[in-house]
Amino acid sequence: MTEPTNETGLAAPDSSAGPSNFIREIIRDDLRTNKFDGRVQTRFPPEPNGYLHIGHAKSININFGLASEFGGQCNLRFDDTNPSKEETEYVDSIIEDVRWLGGDFGDRIFYASDYFPQLYAWAVQLIRAGKAYVCDLTAQEVRQQRGTLTEPGTPSPYRGRSVEENLGLFERMKNGEFPDGSRTLRARIDMASPNLNLRDPVMYRILHAEHHRTGAQWCIYPMYDFAHGQSDSIERITHSICTLEFEDHRPLYDWYVEALGIYHPQQIEFDRLNLTYTLLSKRKLLALVQKGLVSGWDDPRMPTLSGLRRRGYTPEAIRAFCQRIGVSKTNGVIELGLLEHSLREDLNRRAARVMAVLRPLRVEIENYPEGQTDMLDAVNNPEDPTAGSRTVPFSRVLYIEQDDFREDPPKQYYRLSPGREVRLRYGYFITCTGVDKDPATGAVTGIRCTYDPATRGGNAPDGRKVKSTIHWVSAAHAIDAEVRLYDNLFTRENPGDESEGLDFTAYLNPASLEVLTGCKLEPGLADAPTGARYQFERLGYFCPDRDSSPARPVFNRTVALRDTWAKIEKKSK
Ligand code: ATP
Ligand code: MG
């Protein structure tokens, strides 16, 4: 069964289930054959070593989405086996971000570190079965003796240790008798295996480090491969969905659960999300934060969920994007424009339209009485009939965008210029009658106009037409605001490409943030609540920043209006 897609291979935006994919087919098959007693239990397993990013959103969408689609559940599990890097700040942010995106984990928040005692017992079980041994080689020696894809590895000289000796040494490792790195516990599998992951992989390492949950209780820590599958098994995960780089680890995943004789989940791999002009690596994002190259994890230019949220992204837009891109078995790169397209589609439906002037030019309407105010009706959202209308004040002095006036207009320029008549949105026709200049510099400081009272509401009774409609705000009523405009954080499609010998910070876009002050907004925006979203007519979608207050309004531009993807989609329909 396939869901409808158009010629670009993208799902129709309203298809609730999204395009069909191979993971969904595997689950359907398993349900048909009753493989897991008809259960679907997934998990989302972040390592708490940074904030979640848009790549994680893809994984969240797959894991929570499939669970809910098939009446199952998805757990949130912190893969916190690595003590040195983990922090509670990350745990808290991850919980908040998964919730925000709509991931329903109920009270099922788990920590791999809670399984340390069980994992230790399982390691002892493997030692007893002759399937694990304590090895005294250094990490470097282990690596050197591992062999290559064409040559088998060299067995460790400690491979033949007796069960008794191994049990004693492993216990002493646990008791903290040995320094970091001096010994490891390794699985005894096959030093000649064509899969390097099976050449006696390390199960435990010695690390005298504080853990964010277990403190100093442990000084040996399990490796990811020894912890992950068993954690899945403990939680009775049915489908352990992970990214493609773990495909080569699946035989090891399977080996551990088989050797232990415990419940066996199915690991399934899918393609990682890569986005143009974007880095999706927590390590690199952390470097941007630590070097002060962005203002923090939630800098609105960051691809983190907290950054996107602050920028004005909606969870719905992110979910729609994840549905559109689907899942596959080959890694590719998705255009950032597609994410922005999903955002615009959502904001177009829900954002209230308002008027705001970012780079103000003063306009005096010379035939409008001083001190008078006219309240004009304005539609809140033409896409949403239930959104209603509001009134906006009109008075003698207005602001328009500097860009909407040219003293010397080029051909094809239809906005205001001396002698030209245009329509003010929701207002009147005005005609430019004069230009005020700074006598010293000659710079335009304002313009003068007349208005036609008969054109209230935007139409002339005599049927005469104007070629353009511009937005405006009343000077006496406008509120002042700071507005932050954003562009791509990187200048390159693939900022992670180091082939020119430069690291990703070399490709930071110096113009990624432009701060405008003295912007003039329609008065209704004075107390815009956090989470509100607006379309500033003709300028884009905006939201109040979390720094915004009535005393000092600050708005972020979420995204500009121009949407090249909309055209591509239209053509392909
Ligand atoms: P990073 O390289 O950013 O640290 P990671 O894979 O180490 O990513 P985890 O915290 O281990 O990050 O990831 C949690 C889950 O999210 C994993 O199942 C992982 O496969 C998935 N995930 C991480 N990055 C992406 C991505 N770019 N696209 C899809 N899924 C991702
Ligand atoms: Mg990781």
Side-chain angles (χ1 to χ4, degrees), residues 47 49 246 282:
E47 183 181 353
N49 62 347
F246 292 101
K282 281 183 282 184

Side-chain angles (χ1 to χ4, degrees), residues 115-152:
Y115 308 142
F116 284 168
Q118 176 65 76
L119 291 169
Y120 181 81
W122 276 332
V124 169
Q125 181 186 330
L126 290 187
I127 294 173
R128 288 221 160 89
K131 291 179 178 172
Y133 62 96
V134 173
C135 177
D136 301 357
L137 297 179
T138 62
Q140 201 195 354
E141 288 165 335
V142 169
R143 221 172 305 126
Q144 280 165 354
Q145 303 196 1
R146 216 169 164 213
T148 63
L149 285 175
T150 49
E151 287 164 53

Side-chain angles (χ1 to χ4, degrees), residues 367-386:
N367 59 341
Y368 193 87
E370 304 248 12
Q372 184 174 314
T373 303
D374 205 352
M375 296 306 287
L376 302 170
D377 284 327
V379 174
N380 286 335
N381 185 350
E383 301 285 322
D384 177 5
T386 66

Side-chain angles (χ1 to χ4, degrees), residues 43-49 52-60 63 79 224 228 241-243 245-246 270-274 280-283:
R43 85 284 169 268
F44 171 64
E47 183 181 353
N49 62 347
L52 298 183
H53 52 59
I54 182 75
H56 293 110
K58 174 173 177 174
S59 176
I60 291 169
N63 280 296
D79 216 326
Y224 171 89
H228 198 84
I241 302 166
C242 63
T243 37
E245 69 272 22
F246 292 101
F270 70 94
D271 60 319
R272 248 183 131 73
L273 171 65
N274 296 299
L280 297 180
S281 145
K282 281 183 282 184
R283 186 178 58 79

Side-chain angles (χ1 to χ4, degrees), residues 483-503:
V483 172
R484 299 171 182 168
L485 305 180
Y486 302 100
D487 196 354
N488 296 343
L489 186 51
F490 294 99
T491 52
R492 284 210 152 194
E493 280 207 9
N494 180 2
D497 173 7
E498 293 178 358
S499 63
E500 286 175 11
L502 298 171
D503 86 338

Side-chain angles (χ1 to χ4, degrees), residues 74-306:
C74 179
N75 297 347
L76 174 59
R77 182 198 314 143
F78 290 100
D79 216 326
D80 58 350
T81 53
N82 196 4
S84 45
K85 288 187 259 162
E86 284 134 11
E87 285 178 31
T88 36
E89 177 196 343
Y90 298 141
V91 169
D92 295 343
S93 73
I94 288 169
I95 291 173
E96 182 185 358
D97 288 348
V98 176
R99 280 219 176 99
W100 176 72
L101 208 55
D104 176 15
F105 44 84
D107 55 1
R108 295 179 312 282
I109 301 184
F110 300 112
Y111 295 84
S113 57
D114 287 349
Y115 308 142
F116 284 168
Q118 176 65 76
L119 291 169
Y120 181 81
W122 276 332
V124 169
Q125 181 186 330
L126 290 187
I127 294 173
R128 288 221 160 89
K131 291 179 178 172
Y133 62 96
V134 173
C135 177
D136 301 357
L137 297 179
T138 62
Q140 201 195 354
E141 288 165 335
V142 169
R143 221 172 305 126
Q144 280 165 354
Q145 303 196 1
R146 216 169 164 213
T148 63
L149 285 175
T150 49
E151 287 164 53
T154 312
S156 161
Y158 307 98
R159 206 173 196 258
R161 273 178 168 150
S162 70
V163 167
E164 293 324 306
E165 192 183 0
N166 281 321
L167 286 173
L169 285 171
F170 188 50
E171 182 161 10
R172 291 174 63 197
M173 279 170 63
K174 183 191 76 157
N175 293 342
E177 292 183 33
F178 307 122
D180 289 2
S182 59
R183 289 189 160 87
T184 55
L185 183 72
R186 296 176 69 181
R188 183 189 277 113
I189 306 181
D190 178 4
M191 287 307 290
S193 170
N195 184 333
L196 274 82
N197 293 306
L198 295 179
R199 294 186 186 172
D200 290 12
V202 172
M203 294 164 57
Y204 268 92
R205 64 206 198 284
I206 304 174
L207 259 183
H208 292 79
E210 280 280 313
H211 186 277
H212 74 124
R213 283 175 67 85
T214 58
Q217 193 187 336
W218 294 88
C219 53
I220 54 170
Y221 288 93
M223 303 300 289
Y224 171 89
D225 283 321
F226 188 65
H228 198 84
Q230 284 80 294
S231 301
D232 284 343
S233 181
I234 291 169
E235 293 174 23
R236 301 193 74 73
I237 300 302
T238 55
H239 302 86
S240 175
I241 302 166
C242 63
T243 37
L244 281 174
E245 69 272 22
F246 292 101
E247 197 163 14
D248 287 347
H249 294 242
R250 181 166 14 102
L252 181 55
Y253 182 109
D254 292 340
W255 189 90
Y256 282 131
V257 289
E258 289 302 321
L260 291 167
I262 57 178
Y263 167 81
H264 194 155
Q266 172 68 51
Q267 179 180 302
I268 303 167
E269 308 85 15
F270 70 94
D271 60 319
R272 248 183 131 73
L273 171 65
N274 296 299
L275 263 187
T276 56
Y277 300 102
T278 308
L279 280 178
L280 297 180
S281 145
K282 281 183 282 184
R283 186 178 58 79
K284 289 178 179 170
L285 296 178
L286 175 65
L288 292 177
V289 173
Q290 284 178 336
K291 291 182 183 167
L293 297 168
V294 292
S295 66
W297 283 100
D298 73 344
D299 187 304
R301 294 166 295 178
M302 289 280 270
T304 51
L305 296 182
S306 53

